Amino acid sequence: MGKHAAKSFRAAAVAGCAAIGLALAAVGLAGFPSLAQTNTVKVASAGIASDIGFFIADKKGYFRAEGLDVQLTALANSPQMIGPLGMGQLDVGAGTVAASLYNAVAQNIAIRAVADKGSMRPGYGFSGLLVRKDLVDSGRYKTFKDLKGMTIAVGTFGSANSSAVNEALKRGGLGWDDAHMVALTFPQHLAAYANKAIDASMTNEPTASEAVKNGLAVRIAGNDEIYPDQQTAVVLYSEAFARQRPQLAMKFMRAYIKAVREYNDALKGGKIAGPKADEVISILTEYTFIKDPQIHREITPAAIDPDGRMNVKGLRNDLQFFKERKLLQDPGITVERIIDTLYASAAVKELGPYKPPAN
């Protein structure tokens, strides 16, 4: 970012400070104490593509323009973030809304989902149902009902990924117990297909595209077709951060929404192929574990709502699945117990609604 642009962002941040109190008051947060603490915000990232909002805001100086010193820490997955978030050792994290998150909140671990970080949108099913190629070629698999009796891999049990498989089974008039489920990390799906240890899977990118490219599996349908309402990943706030430092939480959200909107500007036709696509791909190759820019161009990217809205309908459906599988410590827990939409709503109120770039 050039010096003039950086100065303009800083000027905008200074001008926006006067509006923070009004925004917080509008969403009922003005009564919380403002602690005289450092502007350091500790953020955990798994280094995956759907963390792009964090990466763009960091790379392009949106966090700095808000006066934030954001420190990105690498953690492998969201379960590893729950403890540090609950204890206030981390301020912000990201991950799937799994049964483990509900169980943590039920134990009074203070974490809240505050914004979209990955969801389904037509053409952007970055997770998909795959079936082993020889089973498709032989006619063993023709429709969803043919999943009956198959060995199906998911990323983890009790996750949004498992709920998506359940939706695929329902498309064939089947239930969870009509197939044999195994939990494997997504890269392990490749070897399992090659060894014929699995028949089908719900696999995330980039592994899904690699399995198809290598002739191991056929992509039957994207998750955007199977389960178009699914909320797959969210931004998580530590409640200590959200409630004790609301001004910083607001500034972080505003920078995040700006970055996510730039990401949306780079999407076109189910790929990262719109305006500024090269810039977004460059940032992804710098910050994620996928270092080949061509892979980012070829795979189906995650959809992220440009206004940070989470799909509550999808969250409720996943929660019902967790209840049916008896995975929850508190069967009476609700989606409303784990979400807090106040910060995203306030940021959008300040920034205005997202306007897609002109074609």
Side-chain angles (χ1 to χ4, degrees), residues 119-336:
S119 51
M120 291 299 129
R121 187 190 308 168
Y124 292 90
F126 67 96
S127 177
L129 176 69
L130 307 183
V131 174
R132 209 172 69 226
K133 189 174 185 301
D134 64 294
L135 298 178
V136 176
D137 291 344
S138 69
R140 164 66 178 85
Y141 179 89
K142 294 180 181 177
T143 66
F144 288 109
K145 67 180 181 180
D146 296 323
L147 293 172
K148 185 178 178 65
M150 287 190 172
T151 298
I152 304 177
V154 296
T156 57
F157 294 132
S159 65
N161 183 256
S162 293
S163 182
V165 168
N166 193 55
E167 292 300 309
L169 289 166
K170 285 159 65 174
R171 292 290 183 106
L174 306 173
W176 182 262
D177 294 328
D178 286 318
H180 174 59
M181 300 297 174
V182 295
L184 300 171
T185 65
F186 296 124
Q188 290 177 324
H189 291 193
L190 296 174
Y193 274 123
N195 296 329
K196 297 188 176 181
I198 59 173
D199 303 312
S201 66
M202 185 63 73
T203 308
N204 282 7
E205 294 284 22
T207 308
S209 288
E210 188 172 355
V212 173
K213 185 177 180 179
N214 292 343
L216 298 173
V218 175
R219 184 182 176 96
I220 301 302
N223 208 13
D224 56 318
E225 303 166 82
I226 296 169
Y227 188 178
D229 295 318
Q230 191 169 36
Q231 180 66 53
T232 55
V234 293
V235 178
L236 299 169
Y237 272 6
S238 154
E239 191 149 318
F241 175 61
R243 301 305 181 186
Q244 296 175 12
R245 298 194 289 166
Q247 283 93 347
L248 299 192
M250 183 66 195
K251 290 179 178 182
F252 186 94
M253 184 60 68
R254 186 163 50 226
Y256 175 77
I257 294 294
K258 288 179 181 178
V260 165
R261 289 179 173 188
E262 284 210 18
Y263 171 68
N264 275 268
D265 289 349
L267 300 179
K268 181 180 180 182
K271 303 291 182 185
I272 304 177
K276 298 186 178 179
D278 289 345
E279 181 179 36
V280 169
I281 288 171
S282 175
I283 292 171
L284 284 168
T285 56
E286 178 180 349
Y287 283 81
T288 72
F289 63 88
I290 303 173
K291 299 303 181 183
D292 183 348
Q294 191 58 32
I295 293 177
H296 289 291
R297 289 187 170 87
E298 292 176 352
I299 65 176
T300 302
I304 307 175
D305 189 276
D307 290 336
R309 291 170 299 203
M310 294 175 282
N311 192 319
V312 176
K313 180 180 178 181
L315 289 173
R316 287 182 177 139
N317 189 70
D318 285 350
L319 177 60
Q320 183 59 36
F321 168 72
F322 301 149
K323 289 180 178 180
E324 291 170 358
R325 300 301 305 156
K326 302 187 185 306
L327 300 172
L328 300 176
Q329 296 176 4
D330 176 8
I333 197 168
T334 64
V335 167
E336 287 70 23

Side-chain angles (χ1 to χ4, degrees), residues 85-98:
L85 280 166
M87 292 184 288
Q89 296 170 342
L90 285 172
D91 300 309
V92 182
T96 60
V97 180

Side-chain angles (χ1 to χ4, degrees), residues 254 257 261 306-307 344-355:
R254 186 163 50 226
I257 294 294
R261 289 179 173 188
D307 290 336
S345 296
V348 172
K349 187 172 183 179
E350 288 189 27
L351 298 171
Y354 172 66
K355 297 178 180 178

